[in-house]
Amino acid sequence: MAKCVMVLYPDPVNGYPPRYARDTVPAINGYPDGNTVPTPSAIDFTPGALLGCVSGALGLRKFFEDGGHELVVTSDKDGPDSEFERELPDADLVISQPFWPAYLTQERIAKARNLKLALTAGIGSDHVDLDAAKQHGVTVAEVTYSNSISVAEHTVMQILALVRNFIPSHRWAVEGGWNIADCVERAYDLEGMDVGLIAAGRIGRAVLRRLAPFDVKLHYTDTRRLPAEVEKQLDVTFHPDVESLVKSVDIVSIHSPLYEATRQMFNEKLLSTMRRGSYIVNTARGEETVPEAIAAALHSGQLAGYAGDVWYPQPPPPDHPWRTMPNNAMTPHVSGTTLSAQARYAAGTREILECFFAGKPIRDEYLIVAGGKLAGTGALSYQSSAAL
């Protein structure tokens, strides 16, 4: 018998939904790069159900019960007195999501002497100390590509929300106003703008494909340049580094994984080199910026807007500067946890667990750390020589 501690975000304030806005979600049969969607032996949930909160339990309660395993599901994850901290020492598995991460620090991994698998339901395992995982023989895995398109769609939405000044305009409408001049004084067309992406991995390429029909001028930087035929197909201009990219564009969209080279890269110095009135959308990781520098750039007008759904820590404290800075379109970390995406990453989580319990190899694209070293997707994403 194994013990699993699953850390998920809290249930809806008004309780678990008795019904949903839609009866079904579309079935996705494959991913754009040719990889297959998750293939567990079975699922015990209805696609389109709310699975990512505590009551949803990723649709895995029956799976653990049928296997005779112990399952603890909690949203209480931070601090020495949290339920996560209390249950961790004898846990064999930890499952959490990027949206409500259970931070597996070096100290916590050392404390969890039985820990064999740290599984991210979704994409992004930077809430796990990967060096500590390697040292302690902990396998780290995530459900690669399960919510990449979800994040790409959210990115395009937030770019448009900023450029078209959507949120203040909506606020005038719901508050009974018709103040058109106030709505349009910060509204522009996206058409013709220079849009630059930091990293052209799965999410970045999906954003490029979705932005192309807007007749924008596309740019990107990545430590691994795309093939010439792909650049031609996307009509995108390559820049050798972040510094040259941000000087050349009106909008920056961040999609790079978090590691030392990207940590706090959007600091006061880099922001000062951007075109005045630029926009930033960050659906990668909050720690790739200096929050106070972002807020200052918005107050000064160096930035015209900032949006995204990634913060640090998550959830952020009530006094986080992004909650009150002007001209922002921030959301909680929701881009990758739509009901559509949850069906995929819950199924992928079960597929990984089935392999783990059966002693079978976990798909290479799901692996971040295995056998004491970076593996699979982790070897491509979490080192400075990796593709952004």
Side-chain angles (χ1 to χ4, degrees), residues 300-318:
S300 73
Q302 175 64 12
L303 287 180
Y306 184 90
D309 72 327
V310 287
W311 308 62
Y312 183 78
Q314 293 191 157

Side-chain angles (χ1 to χ4, degrees), residues 72-149:
V72 176
V73 186
T74 183
S75 62
D76 182 19
K77 67 185 182 71
D78 295 319
D81 297 324
S82 65
E83 185 174 6
F84 176 53
E85 193 84 29
R86 294 195 303 270
E87 297 288 351
L88 183 61
D90 59 346
D92 299 282
L93 304 87
V94 169
I95 300 174
S96 75
Q97 302 168 105
F99 328 107
W100 191 264
Y103 292 104
L104 276 171
T105 61
Q106 183 177 12
E107 293 75 20
R108 279 178 162 172
I109 289 175
K111 179 180 179 180
R113 298 185 180 277
N114 294 338
L115 187 62
K116 303 174 185 67
L117 175 65
L119 204 169
T120 301
I123 302 171
S125 297
D126 47 86
H127 56 281
V128 179
D129 187 316
L130 300 183
D131 288 334
K134 288 185 286 185
Q135 293 167 8
H136 290 267
V138 177
T139 297
V140 182
E142 62 184 49
V143 192
T144 302
Y145 222 148
S146 59
N147 53 5
S148 297
I149 302 305

